[in-house]
Amino acid sequence: MCEKYPETHKLLQVPGVGPVTALAYVLTIDDPYRFPKSRQLGAYIGLTPKRGQSGKCDKQLRISKAGNSYLRALLVSCGHYIIGPFGPDSDLRKYGVSIAARGGKNAKKRAAVAVARKIAVLLHQLWVGEKPYNPFYKSAAVCTA
């Protein structure tokens, strides 16, 4: 399925990201160098929250849902897998579980969207960079510093 696009092999290193998600990501982004910062991908795909600002009030609303809805749905399902019962232990899982543990009516859904945004950024960094995927990238950064 991914033989025509060798970039997808780098993206398949992330657990929860399958060939369909990797291929949809590569075909949607097309050129990874048009995004100078990986963090811009969250807004491009529509995974960042809207803001409701007026006067002293600064509310955080639902996600913007801009961009490709199919890719957004695939990334959110990857987020659900990572924070679910069968997700492998990693920094992404710890991040998502900590958000879900805060509680609330939609805590698990909110955590899955937050993890999906992190996955989008991580996939861009894997695609552009030469480093392999490290599931404990935060822990490794603390140890080397």
Side-chain angles (χ1 to χ4, degrees), residues 114-137:
V115 170
R117 187 170 44 248
K118 285 221 179 224
I119 291 172
V121 171
L122 175 66
L123 292 179
H124 185 261
Q125 296 220 340
L126 286 174
W127 189 2
V128 172
E130 298 298 320
K131 295 180 182 177
Y133 172 65
N134 179 10
F136 298 101
Y137 59 93

Side-chain angles (χ1 to χ4, degrees), residues 4-134:
K4 278 179 100 173
Y5 300 96
E7 306 91 18
T8 57
H9 297 294
K10 287 182 179 180
L11 309 183
L12 291 173
Q13 298 173 13
V14 180
V17 175
V20 175
T21 305
L23 191 60
Y25 187 85
V26 167
L27 292 176
T28 302
I29 303 304
D30 192 35
D31 180 21
Y33 296 103
R34 67 182 176 156
F35 297 100
K37 294 183 179 180
S38 298
R39 292 180 63 186
Q40 294 174 341
L41 256 317
Y44 178 75
I45 297 170
L47 291 170
T48 56
K50 285 183 173 181
R51 307 297 294 208
Q53 297 177 332
S54 72
K56 296 178 183 176
C57 185
D58 185 13
K59 291 184 273 184
Q60 201 176 45
L61 305 173
R62 63 179 181 83
I63 59 172
S64 65
K65 295 186 181 178
N68 191 336
S69 61
Y70 182 63
L71 177 61
R72 186 172 50 254
L74 287 173
L75 288 173
V76 170
S77 69
C78 292
H80 275 291
Y81 170 77
I82 287 176
I83 64 173
F86 303 111
D89 192 31
S90 65
D91 284 344
L92 277 174
R93 180 175 170 79
K94 290 176 187 173
Y95 174 73
V97 169
S98 71
I99 291 176
R102 292 181 195 165
K105 192 165 122 182
N106 296 322
K108 192 162 184 178
K109 291 178 188 176
R110 194 175 319 120
V113 171
V115 170
R117 187 170 44 248
K118 285 221 179 224
I119 291 172
V121 171
L122 175 66
L123 292 179
H124 185 261
Q125 296 220 340
L126 286 174
W127 189 2
V128 172
E130 298 298 320
K131 295 180 182 177
Y133 172 65
N134 179 10

